[in-house]
PDB file of all heavy atoms in Angstrom:
ATOM      1  N   ASN M1316     163.741  18.184 -31.093  1.00  0.00           N
ATOM      2  CA  ASN M1316     162.924  17.373 -30.206  1.00  0.00           C
ATOM      3  C   ASN M1316     161.495  17.967 -30.023  1.00  0.00           C
ATOM      4  O   ASN M1316     161.340  19.165 -29.966  1.00  0.00           O
ATOM      5  CB  ASN M1316     163.502  17.231 -28.861  1.00  0.00           C
ATOM      6  CG  ASN M1316     164.755  16.341 -28.879  1.00  0.00           C
ATOM      7  OD1 ASN M1316     164.954  15.554 -29.767  1.00  0.00           O
ATOM      8  ND2 ASN M1316     165.675  16.576 -27.828  1.00  0.00           N
ATOM      9  N   CYS M1317     160.539  17.089 -29.944  1.00  0.00           N
ATOM     10  CA  CYS M1317     159.159  17.458 -29.768  1.00  0.00           C
ATOM     11  C   CYS M1317     158.512  16.406 -28.877  1.00  0.00           C
ATOM     12  O   CYS M1317     158.548  15.233 -29.170  1.00  0.00           O
ATOM     13  CB  CYS M1317     158.445  17.555 -31.047  1.00  0.00           C
ATOM     14  SG  CYS M1317     156.655  17.804 -30.915  1.00  0.00           S
ATOM     15  N   THR M1318     157.897  16.751 -27.776  1.00  0.00           N
ATOM     16  CA  THR M1318     157.115  15.852 -26.973  1.00  0.00           C
ATOM     17  C   THR M1318     155.767  16.483 -26.772  1.00  0.00           C
ATOM     18  O   THR M1318     155.559  17.665 -26.914  1.00  0.00           O
ATOM     19  CB  THR M1318     157.737  15.651 -25.570  1.00  0.00           C
ATOM     20  OG1 THR M1318     157.902  16.886 -24.968  1.00  0.00           O
ATOM     21  CG2 THR M1318     159.050  14.962 -25.697  1.00  0.00           C
ATOM     22  N   TYR M1319     154.766  15.576 -26.399  1.00  0.00           N
ATOM     23  CA  TYR M1319     153.398  16.089 -26.382  1.00  0.00           C
ATOM     24  C   TYR M1319     152.702  15.418 -25.212  1.00  0.00           C
ATOM     25  O   TYR M1319     153.080  14.409 -24.640  1.00  0.00           O
ATOM     26  CB  TYR M1319     152.649  15.742 -27.681  1.00  0.00           C
ATOM     27  CG  TYR M1319     152.499  14.287 -27.928  1.00  0.00           C
ATOM     28  CD1 TYR M1319     151.395  13.639 -27.494  1.00  0.00           C
ATOM     29  CD2 TYR M1319     153.459  13.576 -28.653  1.00  0.00           C
ATOM     30  CE1 TYR M1319     151.207  12.210 -27.694  1.00  0.00           C
ATOM     31  CE2 TYR M1319     153.305  12.172 -28.823  1.00  0.00           C
ATOM     32  CZ  TYR M1319     152.198  11.570 -28.347  1.00  0.00           C
ATOM     33  OH  TYR M1319     152.004  10.194 -28.537  1.00  0.00           O
ATOM     34  N   THR M1320     151.607  16.045 -24.835  1.00  0.00           N
ATOM     35  CA  THR M1320     150.653  15.550 -23.817  1.00  0.00           C
ATOM     36  C   THR M1320     149.298  15.606 -24.454  1.00  0.00           C
ATOM     37  O   THR M1320     148.890  16.647 -24.987  1.00  0.00           O
ATOM     38  CB  THR M1320     150.665  16.414 -22.576  1.00  0.00           C
ATOM     39  OG1 THR M1320     151.971  16.499 -22.028  1.00  0.00           O
ATOM     40  CG2 THR M1320     149.704  15.842 -21.531  1.00  0.00           C
ATOM     41  N   ALA M1321     148.592  14.491 -24.493  1.00  0.00           N
ATOM     42  CA  ALA M1321     147.297  14.399 -25.206  1.00  0.00           C
ATOM     43  C   ALA M1321     146.491  13.283 -24.613  1.00  0.00           C
ATOM     44  O   ALA M1321     147.008  12.282 -24.126  1.00  0.00           O
ATOM     45  CB  ALA M1321     147.497  14.234 -26.673  1.00  0.00           C
ATOM     46  N   THR M1322     145.178  13.413 -24.788  1.00  0.00           N
ATOM     47  CA  THR M1322     144.277  12.305 -24.549  1.00  0.00           C
ATOM     48  C   THR M1322     143.861  11.789 -25.902  1.00  0.00           C
ATOM     49  O   THR M1322     143.930  12.476 -26.949  1.00  0.00           O
ATOM     50  CB  THR M1322     143.002  12.799 -23.815  1.00  0.00           C
ATOM     51  OG1 THR M1322     142.442  13.874 -24.553  1.00  0.00           O
ATOM     52  CG2 THR M1322     143.323  13.326 -22.444  1.00  0.00           C
ATOM     53  N   GLY M1323     143.564  10.502 -25.958  1.00  0.00           N
ATOM     54  CA  GLY M1323     143.187   9.851 -27.210  1.00  0.00           C
ATOM     55  C   GLY M1323     144.384   9.577 -28.065  1.00  0.00           C
ATOM     56  O   GLY M1323     145.498   9.423 -27.614  1.00  0.00           O
ATOM     57  N   TYR M1324     144.099   9.599 -29.394  1.00  0.00           N
ATOM     58  CA  TYR M1324     145.127   9.203 -30.371  1.00  0.00           C
ATOM     59  C   TYR M1324     145.229  10.291 -31.473  1.00  0.00           C
ATOM     60  O   TYR M1324     144.677  10.062 -32.599  1.00  0.00           O
ATOM     61  CB  TYR M1324     144.739   7.822 -30.942  1.00  0.00           C
ATOM     62  CG  TYR M1324     144.601   6.818 -29.896  1.00  0.00           C
ATOM     63  CD1 TYR M1324     143.380   6.474 -29.386  1.00  0.00           C
ATOM     64  CD2 TYR M1324     145.731   6.133 -29.395  1.00  0.00           C
ATOM     65  CE1 TYR M1324     143.245   5.493 -28.347  1.00  0.00           C
ATOM     66  CE2 TYR M1324     145.604   5.174 -28.454  1.00  0.00           C
ATOM     67  CZ  TYR M1324     144.341   4.905 -27.867  1.00  0.00           C
ATOM     68  OH  TYR M1324     144.249   3.945 -26.886  1.00  0.00           O
ATOM     69  N   PRO M1325     145.829  11.362 -31.126  1.00  0.00           N
ATOM     70  CA  PRO M1325     145.836  12.532 -32.099  1.00  0.00           C
ATOM     71  C   PRO M1325     146.747  12.232 -33.243  1.00  0.00           C
ATOM     72  O   PRO M1325     147.729  11.439 -33.195  1.00  0.00           O
ATOM     73  CB  PRO M1325     146.362  13.671 -31.226  1.00  0.00           C
ATOM     74  CG  PRO M1325     147.240  12.977 -30.246  1.00  0.00           C
ATOM     75  CD  PRO M1325     146.615  11.651 -29.908  1.00  0.00           C
ATOM     76  N   SER M1326     146.638  13.048 -34.310  1.00  0.00           N
ATOM     77  CA  SER M1326     147.626  13.091 -35.384  1.00  0.00           C
ATOM     78  C   SER M1326     148.670  14.143 -35.029  1.00  0.00           C
ATOM     79  O   SER M1326     148.405  15.089 -34.278  1.00  0.00           O
ATOM     80  CB  SER M1326     146.962  13.444 -36.676  1.00  0.00           C
ATOM     81  OG  SER M1326     146.029  12.524 -37.114  1.00  0.00           O
ATOM     82  N   LEU M1327     149.872  13.864 -35.541  1.00  0.00           N
ATOM     83  CA  LEU M1327     151.044  14.764 -35.271  1.00  0.00           C
ATOM     84  C   LEU M1327     151.591  15.301 -36.514  1.00  0.00           C
ATOM     85  O   LEU M1327     151.605  14.578 -37.531  1.00  0.00           O
ATOM     86  CB  LEU M1327     152.089  14.038 -34.397  1.00  0.00           C
ATOM     87  CG  LEU M1327     151.674  13.510 -33.051  1.00  0.00           C
ATOM     88  CD1 LEU M1327     152.828  12.580 -32.464  1.00  0.00           C
ATOM     89  CD2 LEU M1327     151.385  14.653 -32.167  1.00  0.00           C
ATOM     90  N   PHE M1328     152.087  16.500 -36.472  1.00  0.00           N
ATOM     91  CA  PHE M1328     152.543  17.234 -37.656  1.00  0.00           C
ATOM     92  C   PHE M1328     153.802  17.959 -37.400  1.00  0.00           C
ATOM     93  O   PHE M1328     154.067  18.410 -36.274  1.00  0.00           O
ATOM     94  CB  PHE M1328     151.512  18.245 -38.106  1.00  0.00           C
ATOM     95  CG  PHE M1328     150.123  17.659 -38.404  1.00  0.00           C
ATOM     96  CD1 PHE M1328     149.201  17.497 -37.300  1.00  0.00           C
ATOM     97  CD2 PHE M1328     149.710  17.397 -39.644  1.00  0.00           C
ATOM     98  CE1 PHE M1328     147.941  17.008 -37.547  1.00  0.00           C
ATOM     99  CE2 PHE M1328     148.436  16.882 -39.899  1.00  0.00           C
ATOM    100  CZ  PHE M1328     147.520  16.745 -38.896  1.00  0.00           C
ATOM    101  N   TRP M1329     154.605  18.139 -38.422  1.00  0.00           N
ATOM    102  CA  TRP M1329     155.657  19.142 -38.459  1.00  0.00           C
ATOM    103  C   TRP M1329     155.346  20.095 -39.599  1.00  0.00           C
ATOM    104  O   TRP M1329     155.113  19.684 -40.739  1.00  0.00           O
ATOM    105  CB  TRP M1329     157.048  18.570 -38.650  1.00  0.00           C
ATOM    106  CG  TRP M1329     157.702  18.030 -37.440  1.00  0.00           C
ATOM    107  CD1 TRP M1329     157.737  16.738 -36.993  1.00  0.00           C
ATOM    108  CD2 TRP M1329     158.308  18.785 -36.426  1.00  0.00           C
ATOM    109  NE1 TRP M1329     158.334  16.655 -35.772  1.00  0.00           N
ATOM    110  CE2 TRP M1329     158.778  17.888 -35.452  1.00  0.00           C
ATOM    111  CE3 TRP M1329     158.680  20.134 -36.251  1.00  0.00           C
ATOM    112  CZ2 TRP M1329     159.498  18.332 -34.259  1.00  0.00           C
ATOM    113  CZ3 TRP M1329     159.387  20.532 -35.154  1.00  0.00           C
ATOM    114  CH2 TRP M1329     159.777  19.680 -34.200  1.00  0.00           C
ATOM    115  N   TYR M1330     155.300  21.404 -39.304  1.00  0.00           N
ATOM    116  CA  TYR M1330     155.168  22.449 -40.276  1.00  0.00           C
ATOM    117  C   TYR M1330     156.466  23.218 -40.309  1.00  0.00           C
ATOM    118  O   TYR M1330     157.194  23.356 -39.343  1.00  0.00           O
ATOM    119  CB  TYR M1330     154.077  23.406 -39.838  1.00  0.00           C
ATOM    120  CG  TYR M1330     152.640  22.824 -39.948  1.00  0.00           C
ATOM    121  CD1 TYR M1330     152.079  22.095 -38.924  1.00  0.00           C
ATOM    122  CD2 TYR M1330     151.885  23.075 -41.068  1.00  0.00           C
ATOM    123  CE1 TYR M1330     150.783  21.611 -39.029  1.00  0.00           C
ATOM    124  CE2 TYR M1330     150.567  22.586 -41.225  1.00  0.00           C
ATOM    125  CZ  TYR M1330     150.035  21.844 -40.163  1.00  0.00           C
ATOM    126  OH  TYR M1330     148.760  21.336 -40.283  1.00  0.00           O
ATOM    127  N   VAL M1331     156.655  23.886 -41.474  1.00  0.00           N
ATOM    128  CA  VAL M1331     157.834  24.706 -41.694  1.00  0.00           C
ATOM    129  C   VAL M1331     157.379  26.075 -42.154  1.00  0.00           C
ATOM    130  O   VAL M1331     156.493  26.157 -42.954  1.00  0.00           O
ATOM    131  CB  VAL M1331     158.859  24.056 -42.634  1.00  0.00           C
ATOM    132  CG1 VAL M1331     158.276  23.827 -43.976  1.00  0.00           C
ATOM    133  CG2 VAL M1331     160.159  24.896 -42.753  1.00  0.00           C
ATOM    134  N   GLN M1332     158.043  27.070 -41.633  1.00  0.00           N
ATOM    135  CA  GLN M1332     157.801  28.467 -42.061  1.00  0.00           C
ATOM    136  C   GLN M1332     159.098  29.100 -42.623  1.00  0.00           C
ATOM    137  O   GLN M1332     160.025  29.379 -41.851  1.00  0.00           O
ATOM    138  CB  GLN M1332     157.276  29.275 -40.901  1.00  0.00           C
ATOM    139  CG  GLN M1332     156.868  30.693 -41.270  1.00  0.00           C
ATOM    140  CD  GLN M1332     156.317  31.439 -40.062  1.00  0.00           C
ATOM    141  OE1 GLN M1332     156.775  31.313 -38.950  1.00  0.00           O
ATOM    142  NE2 GLN M1332     155.292  32.299 -40.258  1.00  0.00           N
ATOM    143  N   TYR M1333     159.139  29.362 -43.929  1.00  0.00           N
ATOM    144  CA  TYR M1333     160.298  30.011 -44.509  1.00  0.00           C
ATOM    145  C   TYR M1333     160.129  31.544 -44.353  1.00  0.00           C
ATOM    146  O   TYR M1333     159.006  31.972 -44.204  1.00  0.00           O
ATOM    147  CB  TYR M1333     160.442  29.613 -46.001  1.00  0.00           C
ATOM    148  CG  TYR M1333     160.664  28.087 -46.194  1.00  0.00           C
ATOM    149  CD1 TYR M1333     159.722  27.289 -46.593  1.00  0.00           C
ATOM    150  CD2 TYR M1333     161.946  27.616 -45.894  1.00  0.00           C
ATOM    151  CE1 TYR M1333     159.901  25.910 -46.804  1.00  0.00           C
ATOM    152  CE2 TYR M1333     162.211  26.235 -46.018  1.00  0.00           C
ATOM    153  CZ  TYR M1333     161.186  25.453 -46.475  1.00  0.00           C
ATOM    154  OH  TYR M1333     161.380  24.065 -46.575  1.00  0.00           O
ATOM    155  N   PRO M1334     161.179  32.261 -44.387  1.00  0.00           N
ATOM    156  CA  PRO M1334     161.071  33.722 -44.160  1.00  0.00           C
ATOM    157  C   PRO M1334     160.080  34.371 -45.029  1.00  0.00           C
ATOM    158  O   PRO M1334     160.005  34.195 -46.259  1.00  0.00           O
ATOM    159  CB  PRO M1334     162.554  34.219 -44.455  1.00  0.00           C
ATOM    160  CG  PRO M1334     163.443  32.975 -44.212  1.00  0.00           C
ATOM    161  CD  PRO M1334     162.596  31.795 -44.607  1.00  0.00           C
ATOM    162  N   GLY M1335     159.199  35.183 -44.379  1.00  0.00           N
ATOM    163  CA  GLY M1335     158.183  35.943 -45.084  1.00  0.00           C
ATOM    164  C   GLY M1335     157.018  35.156 -45.611  1.00  0.00           C
ATOM    165  O   GLY M1335     156.127  35.717 -46.313  1.00  0.00           O
TER     166      GLY M1335
END
Side-chain angles (χ1 to χ4, degrees):
Chain M
N1316 290 340
C1317 172
T1318 57
Y1319 66 90
T1320 304
T1322 55
Y1324 303 95
S1326 296
L1327 298 172
F1328 304 83
W1329 277 99
Y1330 289 85
V1331 59
Q1332 184 180 36
Y1333 298 105

